[in-house]
Amino acid sequence: ARNGCRLASGSAVVRARRPRSSLESGILLIAADDCRLQFSGRVVIGESCARFDWPATRVVFSTTASRVAVRMDAGRNYFNVVVNGRRVAVLKGSQGVMDYWIDACPVGAPRAVVEFQKRTEARISTPLQAFFGGVTKPVMLHGVLVENGDLVDTPAAPMRSIEFIGDSETAGFGNCGPSEPGTPGWKACFTVNPADQDAFQAWPACVAEKLQADLSIIAWSGMGVLWNAPMGGCTTRHTMIDVYGHVLACEADAPGDGRESPGVSTLDAWIPDIIVLYIGGNDWYSFSEAREGELSAACRELLLRIRSLRPQATILVLCASGESFCACMGSREEQMRFAADMERCWRRAVAEASDARIHLEIVLPSPIIDVTDPSDWGQMAHWSAQGHAKWARAAIPLVAKHAGWPVPMPASCL
């Protein structure tokens, strides 16, 4: 484990093999649209497969089988494999349809609850893979295979739900990578590895877990509200205003209207109680006093866009404190300027939105995320799992307050 990433106390082997032309004796194939498969997050469910690409999307099912597999084109993504609440393996997915087998029910156990959790974001790769077009792609889940057993009713999903909107800090970029605090250099840019990202060890997953809520993460590294990270720092030209309304992140770059995917493809399939925004760090690279009005107007536009698609949800904007370090901040002075600029823009946007159910809070971790503490940092000056846990611990009571939920005690993620 690097930089506080939580690993399972044991490990299991995921065996990948190409699908055979016919099923072997004792093996059943459960279609992706079977009601016993429970999806969390934005998913397009069709007759032949379920498609998803946002980070932290997951599929959960209960089984009596001794072994299970997911049949999917994993799109080069990474997944946590969780059995009965314990992570037993990390799956490195490949391009092309494969069967990924894992031991499920322990000997003597009547059933097991299995989760496949998507760790990686919609479009990320190593620099070499990016050069050859090898970025992560949407997952196409064709079904679940069970051996010597069947699927049974899955425990009900949490009654509460939270949608998180953001950029790399919300997606968990580099949170399991090597410690690289401060301003990132060119060397760090060339060592980025999708294996070092785990959205389930990022702050949104921790907040949702502690508040006993289902979650969806709409986050893209390098993305801004109005301006994406400069110098090719984002793998799409679109901003969050453009992307938020898409069930699949890849739809934003699709030709035509972007709705080429058959199946159930509406935001109504998963409706949050509260939406939490933490975004603007990439906009700040293009920010100036003369352009403050532009950014404030774009923030207001994003809020109104969200409200038009989520008319019933509470919306909470989180802003950073000048005391605790955010990604890529090399000094206290830089952090304080960033925090002050973003707070002004977002406060103006919230005020001009004139919506009593849109709120703003400042997040101040205690202890702070410190640029001098290497354990707070992962790849390219982004928070490690420990840094994410600190931010989450400060955010939990703020989210609970505006959602009208009790604050769990203790509100710790460490």
Side-chain angles (χ1 to χ4, degrees):
R2 292 191 285 179
N3 297 314
C5 286
R6 302 189 301 270
L7 295 179
S9 57
S11 62
V13 177
V14 179
R15 300 172 181 85
R17 72 184 191 191
R18 295 197 179 279
R20 299 186 177 179
S21 56
S22 60
L23 296 177
E24 300 174 33
S25 176
I27 295 179
L28 298 176
L29 174 61
I30 312 298
D33 61 355
D34 192 288
C35 64
R36 292 170 294 178
L37 298 182
Q38 181 185 105
F39 291 94
S40 175
R42 295 188 180 183
V43 182
V44 176
I45 301 177
E47 293 181 2
S48 62
C49 70
R51 301 182 68 205
F52 52 90
D53 57 2
W54 290 110
T57 310
R58 63 177 181 157
V59 57
V60 184
F61 54 89
S62 293
T63 182
T64 58
S66 56
R67 289 201 312 150
V68 298
V70 287
R71 175 168 290 179
M72 65 178 172
D73 180 340
R76 302 189 185 93
N77 288 280
Y78 285 77
F79 300 81
N80 293 322
V81 182
V82 178
V83 178
N84 293 333
R86 175 174 167 268
R87 192 175 80 179
V88 298
V90 173
L91 162 61
K92 179 182 179 181
S94 58
Q95 191 74 44
V97 179
M98 301 286 286
D99 293 340
Y100 296 93
W101 286 95
I102 188 80
D103 292 335
C105 248
V107 176
R111 67 175 63 187
V113 179
V114 180
E115 300 181 35
F116 283 81
Q117 305 174 336
K118 186 174 182 288
R119 294 164 56 106
T120 37
E121 59 189 277
R123 193 176 299 159
I124 189 172
S125 69
T126 65
L128 183 62
Q129 289 171 332
F131 182 79
F132 291 103
V135 297
T136 53
K137 298 180 182 298
V139 178
M140 299 178 65
L141 177 67
H142 294 275
V144 172
L145 296 157
V146 293
E147 182 178 68
N148 299 323
D150 202 349
L151 297 190
V152 292
D153 290 340
T154 299
M159 296 295 292
R160 302 169 178 171
S161 55
I162 312 173
E163 185 169 75
F164 297 88
I165 302 172
D167 49 34
S168 54
E169 287 178 306
T170 300
F173 176 89
N175 59 344
C176 294
S179 178
E180 297 171 344
T183 304
W186 283 107
K187 179 182 177 181
C189 296
F190 287 103
T191 57
V192 171
N193 192 330
D196 291 332
Q197 179 178 34
D198 185 359
F200 286 88
Q201 296 189 62
W203 70 271
C206 181
V207 171
E209 180 184 1
K210 290 299 178 181
L211 293 177
Q212 299 180 344
D214 205 358
L215 87 155
S216 175
I217 297 179
I218 310 303
W220 197 316
S221 292
M223 184 168 284
V225 178
L226 178 61
W227 306 302
N228 290 346
M231 301 177 66
C234 186
T235 55
T236 179
R237 61 183 174 83
H238 296 286
T239 64
M240 188 55 71
I241 293 174
D242 307 319
V243 169
Y244 176 74
H246 291 288
V247 178
L248 298 179
C250 66
E251 290 177 338
D253 289 317
D257 64 3
R259 300 292 178 179
E260 84 287 3
S261 306
V264 179
S265 182
T266 69
L267 297 188
D268 294 339
W270 195 93
I271 301 176
D273 298 309
I274 184 169
I275 296 169
V276 181
L277 289 86
Y278 174 53
I279 188 171
N282 295 297
D283 296 275
W284 195 63
Y285 292 111
S286 302
F287 178 86
S288 67
E289 185 177 345
R291 306 184 80 180
E292 183 172 321
E294 274 185 87
L295 182 55
S296 294
C299 291
R300 174 181 176 274
E301 183 181 350
L302 176 59
L303 292 174
L304 295 179
R305 171 71 169 151
I306 295 167
R307 173 56 75 219
S308 70
L309 295 169
R310 301 296 199 189
Q312 303 302 320
T314 297
I315 299 173
L316 174 61
V317 177
L318 298 181
C319 289
S321 164
E323 300 299 315
S324 181
F325 283 82
C326 295
C328 305
M329 296 293 155
S331 68
R332 175 77 64 194
E333 293 73 22
E334 188 177 31
Q335 174 63 37
M336 293 187 73
R337 288 198 311 272
F338 163 71
D341 291 342
M342 289 297 101
E343 183 180 349
R344 286 197 312 276
C345 288
W346 276 111
R347 283 200 183 279
R348 179 175 171 182
V350 170
E352 292 180 352
S354 300
D355 187 324
R357 299 188 68 202
I358 300 179
H359 312 278
L360 184 146
E361 295 280 1
I362 306 299
V363 180
L364 176 56
S366 179
I368 64 167
I369 303 169
D370 196 337
V371 74
T372 65
D373 184 351
S375 59
D376 281 346
W377 299 96
Q379 181 93 49
M380 279 190 69
H382 282 69
W383 296 332
S384 65
Q386 175 175 296
H388 278 273
K390 288 182 175 182
W391 178 273
R393 185 167 54 195
I396 287 168
L398 305 178
V399 176
K401 167 187 168 184
H402 292 286
W405 302 332
V407 178
M409 296 299 291
S412 174
C413 302
L414 294 175

